[in-house]
Amino acid sequence: MFSSLDRKTVLIAIAVIALGAFAAACAPEVEEDPEDPAEPDEEYDVDATVVMARGTGVETLDIHNTTHVEATNTWSLMGDSLVAFDEDGNLVPLLAEDWEVGPEGLEYTFFLREDVTFHSGHELTAHDVEATFERWLTEEGSPTADDLGEVESIEAVDDYTFQLVLEEPNNAIWNILAARYGSIVNASNIEAEGDSWGTPAADHIDGTGPFELVDWRPDDVMVFERHDDYTWGPPEIYDNTGPAQIARLEYRVIPEDATRVEELLAGTVHLDQMVSRGDLVRIEQSDIINYIEATPASVEFLGFHCQREPFDDVLIRRALAHAINKQEIADVAYEGVSEPATSFLRPGMPGYSAEMAEFNREYDPAKAEELLDEAGWDETEDGVRMKDGEPLEFTLSAFDDEVRLTSAELYQAQAAQVGMDMELDVMESAAMFEHLRAEEHQMFTMGVTIGRRGPDVLRWYHHPDEQPAPNRFYYEDDELVDLLNLQRTTPDEDEQMQAYVEIERILMEDAAWVPVVWRDYIRGFNEQIADPKVDHPVYDGHFKLLDMRMAN
Amino acid sequence: MTAYVIRRLLQIIPVLIVVSMIAYGLIHIAPGNPALHIAGPDASEDVIREIESQLGLDRPVHEQYFSWVSRAVQGDLGVSLRTRVPVTQEIFQYLPNSLALGVGSLVLSVIIGVIMGITAALKQNSLVDNGIMFMAVSGISAPSFVRGVAVMWVFAITLGWFPISGGPPGGDLLSAEGLRHMMLPMVALSIGPLATLGRMGRSSMLEVLGQDYIRTAQAKGLSQRVVLYKHALRNALLPVVTVIGFQVGAMFGGTIVTETIFAWPGVGRRIVGAISARDFPVVQAAVLLLAFVFIVANLLVDIAYVFIDPRIRYD
């Protein structure tokens, strides 16, 4: 009856499908370049483009105005710091081939390599180092300027000698100098770019690293090309000191975890820097993806506001520490890719001592109940303990990401087993950090990557001067304060190590916090990446991809 | 008509002012501090205060708002707190990607949705009708992230016809590769409006086909084609066009989810990042932009009535 319409309908439908088919057909075919024939007998493709993926984009590359890991990771590819740490936590040369420290631990003199060039071809001199430190220390609102401590002076002594003088000793200085945001920048490049420097609007952001940034489309992709003159990668860290063994690197932003894994399986992404634990099963079933458990110096912990009820009572804190089954948290929330923590500092990082494990509070619900009895909290029929007519109830503030949310639910169940009524207050990160800073919490759960501060993070997190953040614990003890100051200033390494042990002892004895899991991250590699390895598997160091090779 | 359009255009101004006040108020009420995001969660109070002072965040909210308005009317929407790039540059860099996605999806959903609706109406209670309505109800019921994942699974992962995710290579939307990258998010985004338009088209067409004047036209011996196109379709389209107006707003809102799933670099993705970072100027500009698109789309719908139904006049 409406045959003409039907024909039209069909024709339009065909047109729509044809459009899709046309687009699909437009896919570029891989063309062989007659000028550059692939050598079939070569094992690795040095002209390869490697595509990496991450969940969030870089907001700014103004290295002195950010602490975001995406920015510092990117600078690790683009730039170099004066020194670096190897996998065992030993200090090794990078842009500085040697250094001297004055007898008081105040004067640091660095002797620079004389063969270093920026991507622009500009030769690195001590004047660039001086300008970098000048900007770092004086940039208004720089979140990392204080990390260096009280700086008396900075000076380019000659073209290849740089001197930094502190007003008081700071043992954490090496962590700061080796940090990824300690990259040396080209001062003339900053001057030329003006306000655009470090933003996507800049024409060029100059560095000395193994990769040069050539295109940056925020929330989409960053494109890097090999710095062909690069030869100064630390041999203590990399088998290859440079240049990189791939020609080009694309850093794609793919927010969805599942999408990143599918790209990895399809071979359109070669490396996913942070595979979601939820996708592990899918990866394990695949024979085209390898994954590596990277172990940065990261720890997840439970923290208490030690001056707020009910956690102003040390017995309650200790009881909860014994009620937490860390193994269950590691197995369920972390899918077994992480191990229960027995101390805040983890094995393999500076400051750690095996002695620290002795202070760990083992999972022991009976002990927890005993401590609660001692504190005067009586068992009741409905399961929640009472004291003076009040139930033992409190709130755990937690981030809303999947792993921490699962962990929080497990904490809640574990606390209930010993008669504690734990409520959860789950919030996204911006709200959570403001909530903690405003001292609205009773207890909280979070994680910290220790690399930036090294073991000095203990001081950072527990010194009264650091309240309200990052000291969110409000645990006060005079002996602890003395030890926190001592570890920072003593020139005696043995005394420093003993201070770390004592700090861990005090904090664990009074259960100011409960280290729960030494968190590992998962990096997924497509099979096209030859001999995948993780730069700096233990310490939170440089990420330069110098050893990465693409199979032919 | 011209006077009507000018009057409607002028009405946009108070609407945008109210929208900007609500958006400004809401994002300032929400917990979270942009200075804290910039400095990092462990920064000292001094650093936080210094950044707040630099950004003018230490002033009362109403002062910040009026300062923003006075600059906005001069075309200066401020600087992104996160990236330090001018907001106009930040938004307009990605606007073409979102517009291409939105307009492409709209065209796709209107063409297919209207055809589906009319076909279902003409084949009422048949297998075709039931099949189309089943698809339409499924399309409406499925959340946008499910639609996105389903489309990705079928056409990219299983069939391998299109890229799984990503923006146009080199930022070139008009290239063949750009089109390939846009196809799946475009299809995913069009499913919801397409289903709505299909259902609306069907019910509207059925109503019109039952009218006396259609029976009269058929009794006069007019060909079915003339009856359909000249008498039924125009009247049936009127409510459909109204729905299209609303779908435009919903579609641009929907780009936020679709762009995230497909890693498509559009304004929607920037809004998500800006909200997480409490980047007030970017959120404010993006909300105004979405409001503007919604208002203009509805104005165009009202104007379209005149062409579809000559009885409608705006004098």
Side-chain angles (χ1 to χ4, degrees):
Chain A
M1 187 173 168
F2 295 105
S3 55
S4 62
L5 174 79
D6 285 347
R7 275 199 300 275
K8 270 267 160 72
T9 307
V10 170
L11 283 173
I12 292 171
I14 288 171
V16 171
I17 293 166
L19 182 66
F22 165 75
C26 288
E29 291 177 11
V30 177
E31 289 178 13
E32 288 184 12
D33 182 356
E35 296 293 315
D36 186 23
E39 293 289 338
D41 55 346
E42 275 187 11
E43 204 175 344
Y44 306 110
D45 181 3
V46 293
D47 296 325
T49 295
V50 165
V51 181
M52 297 170 59
R54 60 177 153 201
T56 49
V58 174
E59 297 175 356
T60 175
L61 283 175
D62 184 344
I63 195 69
H64 303 136
N65 272 312
T66 184
T67 55
H68 291 184
V69 67
E70 291 83 7
T72 54
N73 255 342
T74 304
W75 262 106
S76 192
L77 294 166
M78 292 168 55
D80 297 298
S81 46
L82 292 173
V83 291
F85 282 103
D86 69 11
E87 290 181 11
D88 300 321
N90 301 314
L91 204 60
V92 299
L94 215 170
L95 293 181
E97 60 187 358
D98 199 6
W99 54 86
E100 287 171 0
V101 182
E104 303 292 319
L106 298 175
E107 289 179 11
Y108 293 77
T109 307
F110 297 92
F111 305 100
L112 304 183
R113 294 177 65 112
E114 297 186 13
D115 58 349
V116 176
T117 55
F118 285 87
H119 304 137
S120 61
H122 171 77
E123 277 182 33
L124 172 84
T125 68
H127 303 288
D128 294 302
V129 182
E130 183 185 357
T132 298
F133 277 79
E134 179 72 32
R135 186 173 193 272
W136 189 357
L137 290 166
T138 58
E139 187 72 1
E140 271 185 42
S142 168
T144 55
D146 288 346
D147 291 4
L148 288 162
E150 295 299 322
V151 175
E152 187 177 294
S153 66
I154 47 173
E155 186 189 0
V157 178
D158 60 41
D159 278 357
Y160 296 102
T161 309
F162 169 73
Q163 193 175 62
L164 168 71
V165 182
L166 302 179
E167 287 182 7
E168 55 187 43
N170 177 7
N171 289 331
I173 190 90
W174 294 113
N175 291 89
I176 314 303
L177 295 174
R180 291 172 285 194
Y181 60 81
S183 294
I184 303 303
V185 299
N186 178 352
S188 55
N189 173 234
I190 295 178
E191 199 177 323
E193 292 287 348
D195 289 343
S196 294
W197 190 81
T199 75
D203 287 331
H204 186 236
I205 303 171
D206 211 7
T208 61
F211 290 95
E212 176 184 3
L213 180 66
V214 294
D215 190 13
W216 177 11
R217 295 194 294 281
D219 278 349
D220 186 9
V221 69
M222 291 178 115
V223 182
F224 302 87
E225 285 177 359
R226 178 171 53 213
H227 183 190
D228 286 322
D229 296 334
Y230 192 89
T231 54
W232 44 90
E236 298 86 349
I237 303 174
Y238 306 100
D239 296 335
N240 167 46
T241 57
Q245 299 172 88
I246 51 171
R248 198 175 151 90
L249 183 67
E250 287 186 14
Y251 222 147
R252 284 185 54 198
V253 183
I254 305 176
E256 277 294 304
D257 294 340
T259 308
R260 283 202 307 279
V261 167
E262 291 304 336
E263 293 270 19
L264 203 57
L265 286 163
T268 39
V269 162
H270 305 112
L271 166 57
D272 180 357
Q273 271 199 286
M274 201 175 282
V275 173
S276 152
R277 279 162 172 74
D279 292 312
L280 256 187
V281 175
R282 188 147 167 69
I283 286 184
E284 283 170 345
Q285 287 168 348
S286 158
D287 56 358
I288 58 170
I289 297 182
N290 301 298
Y291 75 89
I292 287 182
E293 297 163 19
T295 55
S298 170
V299 63
E300 296 285 323
F301 61 88
L302 278 173
F304 304 106
H305 191 309
C306 298
Q307 294 180 18
R308 176 159 296 162
E309 285 186 347
F311 299 113
D312 53 348
D313 183 345
V314 67
L315 294 174
I316 304 286
R317 300 200 301 265
R318 287 175 183 162
L320 191 52
H322 283 295
I324 297 302
N325 184 346
K326 299 175 184 178
Q327 189 64 56
E328 187 182 27
I329 304 286
D331 290 344
V332 178
Y334 292 86
E335 304 273 354
V337 186
S338 288
E339 59 178 311
T342 55
S343 58
F344 192 78
L345 302 182
R346 67 184 289 172
M349 68 169 292
Y352 174 78
S353 162
E355 260 183 88
M356 292 170 177
E358 292 169 19
F359 315 131
N360 181 39
R361 290 188 183 275
E362 299 286 347
Y363 172 55
D364 186 349
K367 176 78 175 168
E369 299 212 54
E370 197 180 297
L371 287 164
L372 290 173
D373 288 339
E374 189 186 338
W377 293 90
D378 302 323
E379 286 184 72
T380 62
E381 280 183 6
D382 71 352
V384 179
R385 287 173 177 264
M386 303 278 285
K387 183 180 178 182
D388 302 332
E390 295 290 325
L392 181 49
E393 58 184 18
F394 48 83
T395 301
L396 169 68
S397 305
F399 290 92
D400 63 352
D401 62 278
E402 196 183 338
V403 172
R404 292 203 182 103
L405 188 55
T406 308
S407 302
E409 287 164 352
L410 291 169
Y411 295 139
Q412 188 178 40
Q414 291 167 1
Q417 284 178 349
V418 296
M420 296 176 167
D421 184 9
M422 180 192 285
E423 280 187 26
L424 302 183
D425 188 3
V426 179
M427 55 197 103
E428 48 105 25
S429 64
M432 175 76 166
F433 283 123
E434 197 172 38
H435 166 81
L436 295 173
R437 196 170 276 266
E439 266 195 82
E440 291 167 351
H441 59 289
Q442 286 178 293
M443 67 178 295
F444 63 103
T445 176
M446 67 188 289
V448 62
T449 301
I450 302 168
R452 172 174 160 195
R453 290 275 184 159
D456 188 51
V457 73
L458 292 169
R459 180 188 181 282
W460 211 29
Y461 270 51
H462 285 286
H463 200 284
D465 290 352
E466 304 293 350
Q467 293 167 0
N471 181 352
R472 304 168 177 103
F473 306 90
Y474 300 91
Y475 171 76
E476 290 187 0
D477 180 283
D478 291 342
E479 186 189 358
L480 177 69
V481 174
D482 290 343
L483 288 164
L484 291 171
N485 290 333
L486 179 70
Q487 61 82 26
R488 198 173 216 222
T489 53
T490 178
D492 182 337
E493 282 186 22
D494 290 340
E495 192 175 43
Q496 189 186 17
M497 271 305 300
Q498 197 49 45
Y500 293 135
V501 173
E502 284 301 301
I503 291 166
E504 286 267 4
R505 182 188 61 74
I506 291 171
L507 292 171
M508 296 292 267
E509 197 167 281
D510 277 359
W513 60 10
V514 184
V516 180
V517 159
W518 285 322
R519 186 173 186 169
D520 291 352
Y521 294 98
I522 308 165
R523 285 183 180 162
F525 296 83
N526 187 278
E527 61 176 354
Q528 291 153 282
I529 300 292
D531 314 321
K533 64 177 258 191
V534 176
D535 289 7
H536 269 252
V538 176
Y539 204 63
D540 183 46
H542 293 79
F543 177 69
K544 297 190 179 296
L545 302 179
L546 285 167
D547 291 333
M548 179 174 279
R549 292 181 295 193
M550 185 81 123
N552 247 326
Chain B
M1 177 74 175
T2 310
Y4 171 78
V5 172
I6 291 171
R7 200 165 60 245
R8 284 289 302 270
L9 285 173
L10 288 174
Q11 283 172 2
I12 290 177
I13 296 168
V15 173
L16 286 183
I17 290 172
V18 172
V19 168
S20 74
M21 288 171 77
I22 293 171
Y24 213 88
L26 285 179
I27 194 149
H28 278 81
I29 289 169
N33 180 351
L36 194 53
H37 179 85
I38 292 165
D42 293 338
S44 70
E45 284 294 285
D46 289 347
V47 170
I48 301 287
R49 298 288 92 83
E50 206 168 292
I51 294 174
E52 282 178 342
S53 167
Q54 262 182 37
L55 301 175
L57 298 171
D58 53 348
R59 292 182 296 156
V61 175
H62 67 275
E63 258 186 48
Q64 292 180 48
Y65 175 73
F66 287 120
S67 161
W68 177 83
V69 169
S70 65
R71 281 183 282 111
V73 293
Q74 298 171 55
D76 175 10
L77 292 173
V79 173
S80 162
L81 304 183
R82 290 190 303 161
T83 62
R84 315 281 169 106
V85 171
V87 171
T88 42
Q89 192 178 326
E90 181 135 324
I91 295 286
F92 285 102
Q93 185 177 5
Y94 292 102
L95 190 58
N97 289 346
S98 291
L99 277 180
L101 200 59
V103 172
S105 302
L106 187 67
V107 171
L108 206 61
S109 56
V110 168
I111 292 173
I112 299 178
V114 169
I115 291 172
M116 276 172 59
I118 292 170
T119 308
L122 298 179
K123 306 276 185 188
Q124 191 186 7
N125 298 329
S126 69
L127 196 61
V128 174
D129 179 24
N130 289 333
I132 288 175
M133 282 307 104
F134 175 76
M135 286 193 290
V137 172
S138 306
I140 293 170
S141 312
S144 53
F145 69 90
V146 171
R147 297 194 292 253
V149 170
V151 166
M152 181 190 287
W153 179 258
V154 174
F155 295 104
I157 296 168
T158 307
L159 297 173
W161 288 1
F162 299 98
I164 296 170
S165 69
D172 188 0
L173 255 180
L174 300 175
S175 64
E177 267 300 286
L179 191 59
R180 283 188 77 235
H181 277 78
M182 191 173 73
M183 193 57 78
L184 291 191
M186 193 171 81
V187 169
L189 191 58
S190 66
I191 290 175
L194 179 156
T196 305
L197 290 171
R199 280 181 63 79
M200 179 56 74
R202 177 182 182 272
S203 63
S204 178
M205 193 56 149
L206 281 177
E207 195 183 328
V208 170
L209 289 176
Q211 298 286 315
D212 289 344
Y213 69 89
I214 295 293
R215 273 198 293 279
T216 307
Q218 287 169 336
K220 278 165 64 184
L222 292 177
S223 73
Q224 200 57 43
R225 191 176 166 194
V226 172
V227 172
L228 202 60
Y229 285 118
K230 198 163 180 183
H231 298 277
L233 189 58
R234 273 195 163 192
N235 287 312
L237 276 182
L238 214 54
V240 174
V241 168
T242 307
V243 173
I244 290 172
F246 290 113
Q247 289 301 322
V248 170
M251 195 173 274
F252 276 91
T255 57
I256 293 174
V257 174
T258 306
E259 286 177 359
T260 302
I261 292 171
F262 288 95
W264 180 259
V267 176
R269 288 262 310 278
R270 297 305 273 175
I271 294 177
V272 174
I275 291 173
S276 303
R278 304 294 187 267
D279 193 346
F280 302 148
V282 174
V283 174
Q284 185 77 349
V287 169
L288 282 184
L289 181 72
L290 287 180
F292 184 75
V293 168
F294 194 81
I295 295 166
V296 170
N298 281 282
L299 173 60
L300 291 176
V301 165
D302 287 350
I303 294 170
Y305 288 158
V306 176
F307 296 98
I308 295 168
D309 187 349
R311 291 170 301 178
I312 297 174
R313 295 197 192 290
Y314 298 120
D315 293 329

